[in-house]
Amino acid sequence: MTGVPPKKSLGQNFLVDENIASRIVRSASLTRDDAVVEIGPGQGALTRELAEKAGSVTAIELDERLAGHLKENLGGLPNLQVVSGDALAFPYESLPGKVKVVANLPYYISTPIITKLLGAHDKISSMILMLQKEVAQRITASPGGRDYGYMSVMVQFYAEAEMLFSVPKEAFRPVPKVDSAVVRLNLRKAPEDVSDAVFFERVVSASFSKRRKMLRNSLKNSSVIPPDRFDSLMERLLVSGIDPSRRAETFSLSEFVLMTEILFENRGL
Ligand code: SAM
């Protein structure tokens, strides 16, 4: 304990169960060859053990009080660098080699952080992330279920996503309102083959824009289809095995990829 009062606004619920902390660190299968980036080290529940197992650890903490405390208390670890700053502003793209990310994320910005990390996917080999349980379920969901949506498809485009284990609220101080879960994302060496990853994101976003509707209705008037080609493109999708009367949540990742390629070829540029 640091004696520093926790800031709710920074998502500060600190992990106090040492067995769970060790289990998180073990999930990363670290060796001295690994460079780790830890986001939000807080009071250092994971940090010391990470530094004992990995070659190097860069720990990025927004709260200056906690960053200062870590520097003071763990400053003796020669392979630990504590960065006092915002993980959303960190230049992951300019990391010299591939890193493993290990983080008990601040939940109020978990989605923007994951999006930012996926943007630097070629600099990351894996991520072990503690998340709000519902977010973990969404990220690892399979097609057809109620948790499967935009986030599932976008994360699984870049990574194989696996639910590891649940963590009860009582493992944290202060005790949060929500349960948590730990996921592993193994980044794909090459993401699925699409002509344009930005267009892929636009197609997935448009497809899930009206959640309970047929794909046809979600894509109508969206920016990914020129209006004058709408009917013929729906026909093209149908003959390619993408039935536009299905709902978005029934399509697999490879079906989204095929859909994107058909729409990309006919985007009317
Ligand atoms: N890793 C610690 C643990 O397991 O006990 C702390 C986890 S706590 C849920 C999240 C941590 O992220 C807090 O220490 C908080 O100050 C920090 N944080 C919040 N926003 C941040 C940001 N934008 N960049 C870096 N750290 C942030």
Side-chain angles (χ1 to χ4, degrees):
M1 285 289 148
T2 54
V4 174
K7 275 193 191 162
K8 216 173 166 186
S9 63
L10 292 183
Q12 290 179 356
N13 299 94
F14 300 111
L15 183 62
V16 292
D17 185 320
E18 289 177 12
N19 290 326
I20 293 173
S22 288
R23 200 169 167 197
I24 293 172
V25 174
R26 281 201 307 278
S27 303
S29 308
L30 296 173
T31 73
R32 288 290 182 198
D33 291 333
D34 289 316
V36 168
V37 171
E38 184 188 5
I39 294 171
Q43 300 182 332
L46 309 174
T47 316
R48 177 183 292 278
E49 204 171 329
L50 289 172
E52 281 167 2
K53 299 222 158 96
S56 68
V57 176
T58 304
I60 311 163
E61 174 56 59
L62 182 60
D63 187 333
E64 283 175 11
R65 303 170 307 163
L66 293 172
H69 187 270
L70 282 176
K71 283 178 193 166
E72 235 168 71
N73 282 275
L74 300 183
L77 295 169
N79 60 343
L80 171 67
Q81 189 200 1
V82 178
V83 176
S84 184
D86 184 352
L88 281 173
F90 188 82
Y92 303 95
E93 315 73 32
S94 48
L95 285 165
K98 287 211 184 201
V99 300
K100 290 183 173 177
V101 174
V102 182
N104 174 5
L105 286 179
Y107 296 170
Y108 75 108
I109 45 164
S110 56
T111 303
I113 288 185
I114 292 170
T115 305
K116 169 99 181 157
L117 293 169
L118 292 176
H121 58 91
D122 51 352
K123 288 297 168 75
I124 299 170
S125 57
S126 67
M127 303 189 210
I128 302 292
L129 304 177
M130 173 119 72
L131 299 163
Q132 186 174 333
K133 195 167 188 178
E134 287 72 21
V135 177
Q137 283 165 335
R138 264 186 258 143
I139 282 175
T140 55
S142 305
R146 85 190 150 88
D147 294 326
Y148 186 75
Y150 171 83
M151 226 17 215
S152 331
V153 178
M154 289 315 297
V155 169
Q156 293 171 33
F157 178 68
Y158 291 105
E160 280 171 35
E162 184 190 353
M163 178 73 88
L164 294 183
F165 53 90
S166 302
V167 180
K169 327 175 170 48
E170 295 71 31
F172 301 89
R173 292 290 179 279
V175 177
K177 290 207 178 71
V178 295
D179 282 320
S180 298
V182 177
V183 300
R184 178 190 289 125
L185 305 183
N186 277 328
L187 279 285
R188 300 181 196 282
K189 291 221 168 59
E192 296 280 331
D193 201 11
V194 291
S195 305
D196 184 322
V198 174
F199 192 76
F200 176 78
E201 191 278 331
R202 287 173 52 203
V203 169
V204 176
S205 173
S207 302
F208 284 106
S209 60
K210 299 187 182 127
R211 184 122 181 104
R212 297 271 149 231
K213 300 255 182 188
M214 292 188 277
L215 179 73
R216 165 192 300 282
N217 292 339
S218 299
L219 293 182
K220 193 141 203 167
N221 302 321
S222 78
S223 68
V224 294
I225 301 190
D228 57 330
R229 296 190 195 171
F230 185 79
D231 290 333
S232 68
L233 273 171
M234 289 303 107
E235 193 55 35
R236 273 288 292 283
L237 289 179
L238 183 61
V239 297
S240 308
I242 308 288
D243 181 349
S245 63
R246 283 164 55 192
R247 291 174 173 179
E249 65 262 31
T250 68
F251 291 104
S252 68
L253 174 62
S254 52
E255 287 177 315
F256 274 111
V257 168
L258 175 61
M259 190 191 304
T260 299
E261 289 309 278
I262 293 169
L263 299 182
F264 187 76
E265 280 165 24
N266 294 280
R267 67 196 183 288
L269 289 180

